């Protein structure tokens, strides 16, 4: 391995010297296990060759003004919208497959700084060669292209080692500075900083800043050291080796000593400084004196070439040996169960949060620290807190109660699939075809035999609900059966939650959820068939004025009041946001956070979380008879120009559960599709008005694009 590293070190220029051969890794949520139960990490996604990257050696990440994320590799560049990846290599017009940096100019063109010095740019869905790329490449032949910037007059500024200057729009070269041996030169161009260097760092004797020259000496042992530039809080800095220096008018000042060799300096939206190291992780600083505590163990020993925070708040961290890591939310924490047993239930009250797995092992979670508490006999069935904050746990053999000091007491010698307290402190239970009522000490008040078996139980101020795979039964506190709509007898009901004095939410597997009025038993349904984005509701919990819903497509959040009035607006949290699985079996309100539980772990989410806006719609192109056409040129089409193709994208890195619908006339019905293209073949003559809308919840629809056009009738002789 060392020989391979040395070969790369000698054969590549400064930026490439840090490469270690990467291995393809699947796109997964990684878990970090420990013997005592749980360990915690910030959730992340990993992008490598298996996910579509052309190489695991990634030098740069950039988000353009449209919203696309770009990756620069040693085998081309890639553009990503959150769902699909577009790869551009030499056959697509890229001047050089090895791209070190992206530079976006004032016109929105994305330029590619390459290893050879030849450059190209992306505009209008195509890669274009720079007309004077060969001229620039000749200047680079003795060194490499260290800096690139395109100013407001289309001049291409460069720093190549011995040369520093620009090429104007006519191809004329203007050399602003000639860099001598063992010199380092910096120059401001508009608001940008470029540099040039000749000679190894440990031999640099002179430094020039905008023409002012002075003596310097760097105490760096390596002859090849990458220089990173930074403009931060109205000051300019650069790194050499493990140090960061401030640029003054005619001097430099050392301001920071890092862990090891620095290979990237970047800022996030909160103006924090991210420092990437060679084979030694990444750090974040609010100032040079104040380091932030990051929970990102997966970045250990990585060479971090770029940290980019996108417009939705997610962090992209590119590496030289292992692709790109995406951290959607630094405020989320994932914990994974280190055993083969699945999580059965999680309960939280005050500062006590209990995690119980199927084998009835009980863990206590407090202040992000988890410890093993107790192993009860056989299998866990259900658990709850009573009115005095005691924890009740039912196994398939017995019922146990834990007091505030977690001391255990056996209450009864039989188990129940459903146990819940009422507002008077009594405990209701269901077992097989029986309905039980106990006092707070577990003594039987009564037992009632019923017609069918229902494993689950919910108690509201008015009624007792028994439910499960075979529908719903409702009883009043006198044990009398209450008639409910027949529809609920055929549903597979998963959860029932009280939303207020006389309204409950009924969640189902397959039919979404219902808002049910306990006074007249009227209801409203929300499912993937209309007004919602999911069909399965596994869990629900209330946090303040908000209702959190766990589905097969992640978490939906809405205000309870809006749901009661029939006008809910949903925010969504998916695996792309940082939950460990889109299927959320349980939701628990614990302190000021929400725990989203899956089978083998859970994600801790701030109660105050809000999503970062809507997806950005991007109209990629409109094709008429397979020819690219501008939208303004298709208003009047001939009879034979009747094959229309419309391609579009939704740029969103946290949620691609997007519904789309379209039509060719306001009189037509909407056509629903998951594709990102529309094809209309052999359109007849007439006038058309194309409309495209999208939605995240299948309820509220947003206009994406609309335009009118006509197809002329055939010529009549």
């Amino acid at each position: 391995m060392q020989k391979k590293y040395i070969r790369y070190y000698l054969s590549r220029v400064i930026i490439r010297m840090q490469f270690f051969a990467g291995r393809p890794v699947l796109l997964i949520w990684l878990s970090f296990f420990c013997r005592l139960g749980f360990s915690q990490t910030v959730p992340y996604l990993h992008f490598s060759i298996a996910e579509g990257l052309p190489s695991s050696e990634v030098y740069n990440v950039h988000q353009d003004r449209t919203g696309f994320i770009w990756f620069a590799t040693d085998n081309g560049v890639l553009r990503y919208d959150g769902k699909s990846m577009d790869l551009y290599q030499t056959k697509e017009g890229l001047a050089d497959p090895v791209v070190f940096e992206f530079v976006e100019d004032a016109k929105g063109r994305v330029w590619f700084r390459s290893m050879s010095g030849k450059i190209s740019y992306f505009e209008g869905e195509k890669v274009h060669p720079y007309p004077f790329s060969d001229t620039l490449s000749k200047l680079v032949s003795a060194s490499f292209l260290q800096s690139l910037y395109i100013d407001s007059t289309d001049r291409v500024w460069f720093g190549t080692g011995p040369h520093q200057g620009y090429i104007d729009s006519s191809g004329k070269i203007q050399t602003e500075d000639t860099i001598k041996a063992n010199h380092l030169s910096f120059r401001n161009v508009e608001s940008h900083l470029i540099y040039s260097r000749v000679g190894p760092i440990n031999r640099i004797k002179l430094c020039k800043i905008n023409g002012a020259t002075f003596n310097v000496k760097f105490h760096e042992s390596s002859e090849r050291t990458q220089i990173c530039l930074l403009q931060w809080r109205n000051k300019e800095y650069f790194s050499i080796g493990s140090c960061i220096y401030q640029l003054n008018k005619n001097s430099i000042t050392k301001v920071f000593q890092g862990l090891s060799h620095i290979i990237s300096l970047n800022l996030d939206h909160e103006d924090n400084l991210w420092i990437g190291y060679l084979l030694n992780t990444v750090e974040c600083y609010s100032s040079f004196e104040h380091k932030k505590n990051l929970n990102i163990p997966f970045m250990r020993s990585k060479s971090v070439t770029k940290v980019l925070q996108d417009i939705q708040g997610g962090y992209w961290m590119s590496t030289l040996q292992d692709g790109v890591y995406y951290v959607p939310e630094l405020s989320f924490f994932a914990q994974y169960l280190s055993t083969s047993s699945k999580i059965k239930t999680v309960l939280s009250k005050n500062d006590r949060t209990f995690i119980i797995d199927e084998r009835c092992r009980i863990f206590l979670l407090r202040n992000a620290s988890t410890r093993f508490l107790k192993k009860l006999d056989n299998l866990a069935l259900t658990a709850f807190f009573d009115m005095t904050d005691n924890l009740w746990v039912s196994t398939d053999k017995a019922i146990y109660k834990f007091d505030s000091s977690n001391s255990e007491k056996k209450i009864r010698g039989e188990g129940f699939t459903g146990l819940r307290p009422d507002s008077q402190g009594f405990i209701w239970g269901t077992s097989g075809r029986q309905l039980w009522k106990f006092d707070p000490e577990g003594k039987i008040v009564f037992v009632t035999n019923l017609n069918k078996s229902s494993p689950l139980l919910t108690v509201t101020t008015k009624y007792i609900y028994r439910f499960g795979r075979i529908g719903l039964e409702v009883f009043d506190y006198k044990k009398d059966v209450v008639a409910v709509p027949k529809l609920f007898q055929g549903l597979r009901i998963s959860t029932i939650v009280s939303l207020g004095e006389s309204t409950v939410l009924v969640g189902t597997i397959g039919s979404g959820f219902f808002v049910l009025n306990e006074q007249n038993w009227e209801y409203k349904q929300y499912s993937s068939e209309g007004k919602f984005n999911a069909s399965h509701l596994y869990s629900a919990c209330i946090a303040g004025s908000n209702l959190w819903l766990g589905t097969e497509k992640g978490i939906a959040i809405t205000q309870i009041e809006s749901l009661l009035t029939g006008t809910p607006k949903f925010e969504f949290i998916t695996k792309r946001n940082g939950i460990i699985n889109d299927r959320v079996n349980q939701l628990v309100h614990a302190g000021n956070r929400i725990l989203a539980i899956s089978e083998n772990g859970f994600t801790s989410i701030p109660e105050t979380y809000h999503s970062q806006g809507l997806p950005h719609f991007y109209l990629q192109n409109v094709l008429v008879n397979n020819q690219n056409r501008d939208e303004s040129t298709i208003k009047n089409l001939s009879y034979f120009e009747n094959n229309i193709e419309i391609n579009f994208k939704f740029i969103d890195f946290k949620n691609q559960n997007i519904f789309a619908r379209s039509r060719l006339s306001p009189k037509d019905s909407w056509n629903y599709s998951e594709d990102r293209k529309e094809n209309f073949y052999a359109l007849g003559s007439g006038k058309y008005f194309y409309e495209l809308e999208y939605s995240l919840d299948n309820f509220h629809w947003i206009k994406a694009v609309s335009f009118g056009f006509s197809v002329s009738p055939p010529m009549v002789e």
Side-chain angles (χ1 to χ4, degrees):
M1 191 68 178
Q2 290 298 321
K3 291 181 179 179
K4 186 171 185 180
Y5 179 69
I6 292 170
R7 286 199 300 269
Y8 269 90
Y9 188 95
L10 295 175
S11 64
R12 300 289 179 98
V13 289
I14 291 176
I15 299 179
R16 302 207 77 194
M17 69 178 181
Q18 302 102 346
F19 170 67
F20 274 87
R23 295 185 300 272
V25 181
L26 294 176
L27 175 60
I28 55 174
W29 290 94
L30 297 181
S31 57
F32 296 85
F33 300 134
C34 68
R35 290 185 179 181
L36 294 181
F38 295 86
S39 61
Q40 192 178 85
T41 180
V42 173
Y44 65 92
L45 283 171
H46 182 204
F47 294 86
S48 190
I49 293 174
E51 292 73 55
L53 291 184
S55 170
S56 293
E57 190 175 346
V58 183
Y59 304 120
N60 208 285
V61 183
H62 172 71
Q63 185 167 38
D64 65 26
R65 65 186 60 184
T66 305
F68 289 102
I69 296 290
W70 290 83
F71 305 108
T73 79
D74 66 338
N75 192 25
V77 298
L78 188 142
R79 188 180 69 162
Y80 183 51
D81 65 358
K83 182 177 182 179
S84 60
M85 295 182 174
D86 300 318
L87 178 62
Y88 301 94
Q89 296 174 309
T90 53
K91 62 182 179 180
E92 283 80 29
L94 200 64
D96 187 330
V98 182
V99 175
F100 291 148
E101 184 187 18
F102 301 105
V103 178
E104 188 167 3
D105 65 19
K107 297 179 179 179
R109 297 172 297 187
V110 179
W111 295 73
F112 312 118
R113 180 170 70 86
S114 73
M115 180 179 179
S116 67
K118 292 184 178 181
I119 61 175
S120 47
Y121 62 91
F122 186 85
E123 184 181 34
E125 294 296 305
K126 291 182 179 180
V127 176
H128 304 270
Y130 175 54
F132 312 111
S133 196
D134 289 339
T135 302
L136 183 58
S137 181
K138 290 177 182 178
L139 293 172
V140 176
S141 60
S143 178
F144 75 101
L145 187 58
Q146 298 167 345
S147 299
L148 178 69
Y149 177 70
I150 292 81
D151 70 15
S152 56
T153 62
D154 273 0
R155 293 184 297 186
V156 175
W157 287 82
F158 56 85
T160 68
H163 304 289
Q164 195 175 85
Y166 63 84
I167 303 174
D168 65 19
S169 57
S170 66
K172 183 180 178 181
I173 301 173
Q174 176 66 44
T175 301
E176 295 289 299
D177 206 352
T178 300
I179 315 302
K180 297 180 181 179
N182 302 324
H183 283 203
L184 176 63
S185 176
F186 298 93
R187 176 176 293 275
N188 289 100
V189 180
E190 295 180 339
S191 60
H192 195 79
L193 188 67
I194 64 173
Y195 84 95
S196 300
R197 188 196 80 199
V198 177
I201 289 297
N202 56 4
R203 297 181 186 178
I204 294 294
K205 298 179 181 179
L206 290 176
C207 183
K208 184 181 291 186
I209 302 176
N210 294 320
T213 304
F214 51 91
N215 295 324
V216 294
K217 185 174 183 180
F218 299 104
H219 300 280
E220 297 293 331
S221 59
S222 174
E223 292 189 357
R224 292 178 179 267
T225 302
Q226 180 177 340
I227 294 178
C228 303
L229 306 177
L230 174 70
Q231 294 174 302
W232 189 28
R233 297 171 184 170
N234 299 318
K235 295 180 180 179
E236 295 175 328
Y237 304 92
F238 69 97
S239 68
I240 288 182
S242 59
C243 302
I244 298 177
Y245 299 86
Q246 180 180 332
L247 282 169
N248 307 308
K249 288 184 178 181
N250 53 11
S251 66
I252 61 172
T253 306
K254 180 180 174 181
V255 294
F256 181 80
Q257 176 66 56
L259 292 173
S260 59
H261 192 110
I262 297 172
I263 61 173
S264 63
L265 297 173
N266 303 111
L267 302 177
D268 64 19
H269 298 335
E270 289 75 41
D271 207 28
N272 297 309
L273 172 62
W274 291 76
I275 303 175
Y277 295 98
L278 174 65
L279 295 173
N280 198 16
T281 198
V282 63
E283 293 182 317
C284 181
Y285 290 83
S286 58
S287 68
F288 286 123
E289 295 77 28
H290 296 94
K291 176 183 172 182
K292 294 204 167 188
N293 184 26
L294 300 178
N295 194 15
I296 50 174
F298 47 89
M299 296 308 294
R300 292 171 187 157
S301 301
K302 300 294 191 299
S303 299
V304 182
T305 57
K306 181 69 179 277
V307 176
L308 168 76
Q309 187 180 19
D310 64 35
I311 58 176
Q312 293 181 298
Y315 290 85
W316 302 81
M317 304 178 187
S318 58
T319 73
L320 283 176
Q321 65 276 81
D322 205 16
V324 179
Y325 290 81
Y326 171 57
V327 179
E329 296 288 346
L330 282 174
S331 63
F332 286 16
F333 298 99
Q335 296 199 3
Y336 299 81
L337 190 62
S338 64
T339 70
S340 59
S341 181
K342 299 175 182 178
I343 293 177
K344 179 67 177 180
T345 189
V346 178
L347 299 99
S348 184
K349 199 164 188 179
N350 299 327
D351 63 343
R352 300 163 72 210
T353 299
F354 294 93
I355 303 163
I356 305 172
D357 71 7
E358 286 183 331
R359 297 179 185 177
C360 217
R361 285 172 289 197
I362 303 174
F363 300 87
L364 178 62
L365 174 66
R366 183 175 288 171
N367 298 326
S369 176
T370 308
R371 67 180 179 90
F372 176 73
L373 185 65
K374 181 73 176 179
K375 169 71 173 74
L376 298 179
D377 54 341
N378 224 359
L379 302 177
L381 296 180
T382 188
F384 68 93
F385 285 107
D386 64 18
M387 292 186 67
T388 56
D389 295 348
N390 297 310
L391 173 68
W392 291 55
V393 179
S394 177
T395 72
D396 58 348
K397 291 184 177 181
I399 300 175
Y400 299 85
K401 181 166 69 172
F402 294 82
D403 62 19
S404 58
S405 63
N406 299 324
S407 297
E408 165 203 346
K409 179 182 178 181
K410 189 173 183 178
I411 299 297
R412 297 197 60 82
E414 65 268 306
F416 291 80
T417 56
L419 282 174
R420 287 296 180 268
D422 64 22
S423 59
Q424 304 301 315
F426 291 99
I427 312 300
W428 295 78
T430 183
S431 177
R433 295 188 177 186
Q434 293 180 321
L435 179 66
W436 299 60
K437 183 179 181 180
F438 308 104
D439 68 12
E441 297 303 317
K443 294 180 181 180
I444 299 174
V445 177
F446 66 74
V447 180
T448 299
N449 292 314
L450 304 173
N451 293 327
K452 60 183 179 179
S453 175
S454 294
L456 303 176
L457 188 75
T458 290
V459 178
T460 69
T461 56
K462 291 184 177 181
Y463 300 110
I464 296 95
Y465 293 83
R466 294 177 78 239
F467 57 94
R469 294 177 180 270
I470 54 174
L472 176 67
E473 291 179 300
V474 182
F475 303 87
D476 61 22
Y477 280 86
K478 297 178 182 179
K479 300 176 289 181
D480 293 330
V481 177
V482 178
V484 296
K486 290 184 178 180
L487 169 69
F488 292 93
Q489 305 307 312
L491 298 175
R492 182 181 173 185
I493 299 174
S494 54
T495 186
I496 296 179
V497 176
S498 176
L499 298 180
E501 188 174 338
S502 60
T503 308
V504 295
L505 177 141
V506 179
T508 76
I509 305 300
S511 300
F513 70 91
F514 297 78
V515 177
L516 182 62
N517 189 317
E518 290 183 312
Q519 293 179 332
N520 54 22
W521 302 108
E522 293 182 352
Y523 60 85
K524 290 184 179 180
Q525 183 180 7
Y526 299 85
S527 73
S528 58
E529 299 299 318
K531 299 185 179 180
F532 198 53
N533 75 330
S535 296
H536 307 317
L537 188 75
Y538 301 108
S539 54
C541 82
I542 294 172
S545 61
N546 289 334
L547 176 69
W548 293 58
L549 305 173
T551 78
E552 80 275 18
K553 293 184 177 180
I555 300 170
I557 310 169
T558 189
Q559 289 189 341
I560 297 173
E561 183 62 30
S562 68
L563 189 61
L564 294 177
T565 58
T567 58
K569 291 185 178 180
F570 296 98
E571 293 185 48
F572 296 93
I573 305 176
T574 70
K575 192 172 177 179
R576 292 292 189 87
N577 293 84
I579 58 176
I580 62 177
N581 199 309
D582 277 336
R583 173 170 171 163
V584 179
N585 294 332
Q586 295 181 64
L587 288 163
V588 177
H589 189 201
N592 60 356
R593 300 182 75 85
I594 303 294
L595 305 183
I597 295 98
S598 298
E599 290 182 344
N600 65 334
F602 62 88
T603 309
S604 175
I605 306 167
E607 178 188 351
T608 56
Y609 171 82
H610 289 287
S611 60
Q612 300 287 325
L614 296 170
H616 175 69
F617 174 79
Y618 178 74
L619 182 61
Q620 192 170 4
N621 55 41
V622 177
L623 304 179
V624 177
N625 291 356
N626 295 321
Q627 298 296 315
N628 196 4
R629 296 281 290 271
D630 185 83
E631 187 180 320
S632 61
T633 68
I634 66 169
K635 292 184 178 180
N636 297 296
L637 300 176
S638 70
Y639 178 73
F640 298 102
E641 294 178 312
N642 60 354
N643 294 313
I644 311 295
E645 180 180 318
I646 301 168
N647 295 288
F648 56 90
K649 294 178 180 290
F650 294 109
I651 304 173
D652 194 311
F653 306 104
K654 294 186 176 181
N655 188 7
Q656 281 287 335
N657 294 325
I658 303 171
F659 296 85
R661 67 183 187 183
S662 64
R663 60 187 180 185
L664 279 175
S665 169
K667 297 180 181 179
D668 295 342
S669 299
W670 289 103
N671 175 46
Y672 295 82
S673 174
E674 295 182 359
D675 295 333
R676 300 294 191 258
K677 68 162 54 179
E678 297 271 26
N679 288 290
F680 303 102
Y681 299 109
L683 289 175
S685 59
K687 293 184 178 181
Y688 299 92
F689 188 76
Y690 175 75
E691 295 176 279
L692 175 66
E693 297 181 346
Y694 68 94
S695 173
L696 292 177
D697 59 7
N698 200 22
F699 189 14
H700 301 89
W701 291 89
I702 303 160
K703 179 181 176 181
V705 67
S706 63
F707 56 86
F709 66 96
S710 63
V711 178
S712 300
M715 296 289 291
V716 179
E717 296 183 2

